[in-house]
Amino acid sequence: MADKILIRHYPRYLAEQSVPDQAHFSFGYTIEIENQGNRQIQLIERHWLITDANGQRTELRGPGEIGEQPRIPPGELYAYHSGIQLRTPLGFMQGSYTFQDESGELFDVAIPLLTLAIPHLIH
């Protein structure tokens, strides 16, 4: 079932919420989860590894995402917006989601690597 779940992300730098002189860089991102399978799924848990340009790593694990454990019917898309603050102008997020299908089976889906960078930092 994991191969029937498509995850897309759209990161962006939030200049208006950042203070570079104080090593405070804010990023927002939108995540889309598309159920291309033929069974309803539910997002049960998230696991994120966040790494900044200094190699500082933060691990986040918890139920659902942004306080929700949405059910996603076949052919439907669920999207949410969130954000993170880093101490460097470059960082990365990667991880996985744990889903449960209608039969109660749990399965993990990798989240593609998100690159968080201020504009024009990476060509």
Side-chain angles (χ1 to χ4, degrees), residues 35-111:
N35 182 358
Q36 297 180 333
N38 57 9
R39 292 187 273 178
Q40 179 172 276
I41 58 170
Q42 182 176 13
L43 176 57
I44 301 298
E45 185 179 78
R46 73 182 181 290
H47 179 223
W48 284 106
L49 290 173
I50 303 151
T51 307
D52 71 15
N54 293 328
Q56 179 69 37
R57 296 185 77 177
T58 303
E59 185 172 8
L60 300 174
R61 186 182 295 271
E65 192 62 73
I66 62 166
E68 298 181 10
Q69 290 183 310
R71 296 179 192 278
I72 309 168
E76 296 291 319
L77 179 118
Y78 171 77
Y80 70 90
H81 309 285
S82 193
I84 189 157
Q85 289 78 44
L86 298 178
R87 308 242 350 124
T88 62
L90 175 67
F92 304 93
M93 293 177 62
Q94 60 187 1
S96 63
Y97 291 125
T98 300
F99 293 95
Q100 185 173 38
D101 68 14
E102 293 173 345
S103 69
E105 182 180 336
L106 295 173
F107 61 96
D108 292 331
V109 176
I111 303 167

